[in-house]
């Protein structure tokens, strides 16, 4: 069966060559005589896979030795709790920027462990923009500042790294990790659910400055302790073994395609094709403000809910699927992660022009 162009926000497309490679060794990996899915996580053969994937992620993301890489379960949502539990310290509090649904969820979760401050909320403006640095009145005594670098649902992104002085910077990068080079040394902690741009669902990648470990609250569940995960090299219990293996294949693909700077050029190419059309059209409207636009999730509307629904339906009939916006945001959303071929976006833009001619 022919594959469609899948604009899903997540789980989302994986590179076809990655799926084919996984299929080719699905029933027997290397000389092991068994599927990766069937291996003990403590076996030598799996230990080698695991070590290679972790090293590969360190290379691709240029993670300095000051930072540890952890593979944890519970997706990004578990990190909404793990971050305060591990980083607040006794009696500590934290600052949050509320730029969408997930950052608000993270803030609400932190309320269970402290009295976090919302230093910015875009809610009244429909989460259409990201604050400027001058709008962020951060508290110098906060244990960390949390922000979501790419807002998957509303299609906005921080186009700068917030300056936080000596306060550790925490970022939820779920929907943009691996799409551009990142100066990891600027961050106390980065986390990402893998199902958007890294691997099939089933875990979160956490990149944490080792200097921040050791102040977890005593109530921190063992399964959420960064220090304990680091000590056990993410093998405190059975890790999502197959997801980690798949991440390794995706990282190989990223390397073959120019690494993170290659991914960055591709995301600029893909997103500008759609934004150029939106900016020149009197029919479509981009949702996000211009200097807050995401290159991963492009949100737009026709202005008529009926036409939006017709758009989504007719696009799907042409093999352009999952363009319906999130139920909270409405309209359309094209999620164009690393694995979306440029041809998929060319096809989408052609369809958008045709739809405008027929309905504008
Ligand atoms: C998808 C997403 C989440 C939630 O991820 P889960 O792995 O489902 O918990 C959190 N933050 C952002 C930015 C996301 O895109």
């Amino acid at each position: 069966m022919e594959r469609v162009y899948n604009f899903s926000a997540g789980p989302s497309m994986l590179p076809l060559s990655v799926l084919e490679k996984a299929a080719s060794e699905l029933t027997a990996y290397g000389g092991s005589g068994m599927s990766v899915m069937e291996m003990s996580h403590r076996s030598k053969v799996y230990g080698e896979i695991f070590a290679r994937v972790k090293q590969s992620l360190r290379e691709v993301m240029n993670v300095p030795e000051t930072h540890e890489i952890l593979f944890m379960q519970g997706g990004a949502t578990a990190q909404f709790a793990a971050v305060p539990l591990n980083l607040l310290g006794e009696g500590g509090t934290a600052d949050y920027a509320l730029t969408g649904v997930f950052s608000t969820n993270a803030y609400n979760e932190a309320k269970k462990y402290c009295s976090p401050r919302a230093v910015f909320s875009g809610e009244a403006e429909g989460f259409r923009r990201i604050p400027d640095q001058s709008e962020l009145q951060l508290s110098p005594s906060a244990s960390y500042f949390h922000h979501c670098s790419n807002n998957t649902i509303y299609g906005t992104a921080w186009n700068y790294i917030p300056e936080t002085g000596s306060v550790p910077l925490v970022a939820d990068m779920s929907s943009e990790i691996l799409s551009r080079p990142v100066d990891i040394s600027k961050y106390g902690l980065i986390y990402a659910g893998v199902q958007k741009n890294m691997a099939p669902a089933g875990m979160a990648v956490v990149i944490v400055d080792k200097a921040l470990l050791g102040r977890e609250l005593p109530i921190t569940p063992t399964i959420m302790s960064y220090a304990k995960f680091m000590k056990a090299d993410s093998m405190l219990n059975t890790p999502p073994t197959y997801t980690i293996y798949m991440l390794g294949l995706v990282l190989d693909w990223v390397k073959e395609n120019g690494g993170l700077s290659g991914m960055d050029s591709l995301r600029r190419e893909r997103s500008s094709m759609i934004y150029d059309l939106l900016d020149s059209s009197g029919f479509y409207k981009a949702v996000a403000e211009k200097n807050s636009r995401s290159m991963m999730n492009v949100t737009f509307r026709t202005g008529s809910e009926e036409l939006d629904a017709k758009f989504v339906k007719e696009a799907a009939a042409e093999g352009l699927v999952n363009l319906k916006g999130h139920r909270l945001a409405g309209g359309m959303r094209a999620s164009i992660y690393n694995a979306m071929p440029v041809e998929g976006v060319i096809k989408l833009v052609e369809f958008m022009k045709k739809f405008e001619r027929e309905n504008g």
Side-chain angles (χ1 to χ4, degrees):
M1 195 188 152
E2 214 181 307
R3 279 171 62 80
V4 293
Y5 292 113
N6 179 7
F7 294 89
S8 166
S12 37
M13 287 186 85
L14 287 161
L16 181 59
S17 64
V18 165
L19 295 173
E20 284 168 345
K21 170 84 173 160
S24 76
E25 49 195 24
L26 185 73
T27 57
Y29 174 85
S32 70
M34 63 179 83
S35 173
V36 174
M37 289 183 220
E38 300 170 305
M39 290 174 185
S40 163
H41 58 296
R42 307 281 180 204
S43 63
K44 184 164 176 290
V45 58
Y46 189 75
E48 285 166 8
I49 294 174
F50 181 91
R52 199 182 71 82
V53 175
K54 196 173 151 189
Q55 183 54 32
S56 188
L57 183 59
R58 192 172 281 285
E59 282 164 25
V60 167
M61 288 195 69
N62 202 8
V63 179
E65 288 303 326
T66 46
H67 286 60
E68 179 66 14
I69 296 171
L70 307 173
F71 298 136
M72 301 182 84
Q73 295 187 54
T77 302
Q79 296 306 312
F80 297 167
V83 166
L85 283 164
N86 284 277
L87 302 188
L88 279 175
E90 285 295 349
T93 186
D95 286 351
Y96 280 73
L98 311 191
T99 53
V101 173
F102 294 115
S103 52
T104 304
N105 289 351
Y107 168 73
N108 287 332
E109 193 71 16
K111 281 184 189 163
K112 296 176 182 171
Y113 311 109
C114 66
S115 304
R117 266 188 348 130
V119 295
F120 171 82
S121 173
E123 191 176 4
E125 298 166 276
F127 292 123
R128 291 176 56 243
R129 72 175 187 97
I130 298 299
D132 294 331
Q133 179 75 49
S134 63
E135 293 175 83
L136 301 173
Q137 304 300 325
L138 302 179
S139 157
S141 62
S143 298
Y144 59 87
F145 168 64
H146 179 284
H147 75 306
C148 177
S149 62
N150 185 84
N151 297 278
T152 322
I153 292 177
Y154 294 95
T156 60
W158 294 66
N159 58 20
Y160 68 100
I161 300 179
E163 182 51 60
T164 59
S166 61
V167 173
L169 177 62
V170 174
D172 176 355
M173 290 198 182
S174 295
S175 47
E176 68 155 357
I177 194 163
L178 295 188
S179 74
R180 64 178 170 100
V182 172
D183 181 355
I184 308 280
S185 70
K186 293 258 189 341
Y187 295 83
L189 186 140
I190 291 169
Y191 66 91
V194 295
Q195 70 275 20
K196 315 271 162 65
N197 210 26
M198 295 189 112
M203 69 174 190
V205 164
V206 176
I207 301 171
V208 60
D209 184 346
K210 288 183 247 186
L212 297 179
L213 302 185
R215 47 169 156 156
E216 67 185 52
L217 299 179
I219 58 162
T220 306
T222 301
I223 197 70
M224 286 192 176
S225 160
Y226 297 148
K228 294 192 177 100
F229 257 70
M230 174 165 153
K231 190 148 174 265
D233 198 12
S234 297
M235 293 254 195
L236 195 85
N237 68 331
T238 315
T241 50
Y242 198 74
T243 292
I244 292 168
Y245 155 80
M246 287 294 290
L247 172 58
L249 297 187
V250 169
L251 290 167
D252 291 343
W253 177 88
V254 168
K255 286 183 200 164
E256 287 157 17
N257 288 276
L260 295 191
S261 51
M263 296 299 109
D264 195 24
S265 326
L266 280 169
R267 75 180 197 149
R268 285 170 195 280
E269 184 181 350
R270 280 188 297 257
S271 60
S272 61
M273 279 193 276
I274 308 178
Y275 284 123
D276 286 350
L277 173 65
L278 294 177
D279 287 340
S280 64
S281 158
F283 180 69
Y284 299 107
K285 280 163 242 18
V287 174
E289 281 191 8
K290 214 162 192 173
N291 54 6
S292 299
R293 286 174 172 174
S294 164
M295 295 186 217
M296 313 306 289
N297 311 95
V298 180
T299 47
F300 58 100
R301 299 199 178 115
T302 63
S304 144
E305 275 180 35
E306 241 167 52
L307 278 182
D308 287 353
K310 190 172 179 226
F311 180 101
V312 170
K313 197 169 160 225
E314 290 184 6
E318 299 205 13
L320 306 164
V321 309
N322 289 321
L323 284 160
K324 188 171 164 28
H326 189 276
R327 68 195 147 75
L328 294 171
M332 277 78 74
R333 171 178 54 180
S335 295
I336 43 177
Y337 300 123
N338 285 355
M340 172 59 67
V342 170
E343 301 78 65
V345 177
I346 293 174
K347 240 192 125 189
L348 171 63
V349 167
E350 280 167 5
F351 172 79
M352 288 172 74
K353 288 181 182 159
K354 179 169 84 103
F355 190 83
E356 176 172 355
R357 278 196 304 275
E358 291 171 357
N359 299 277

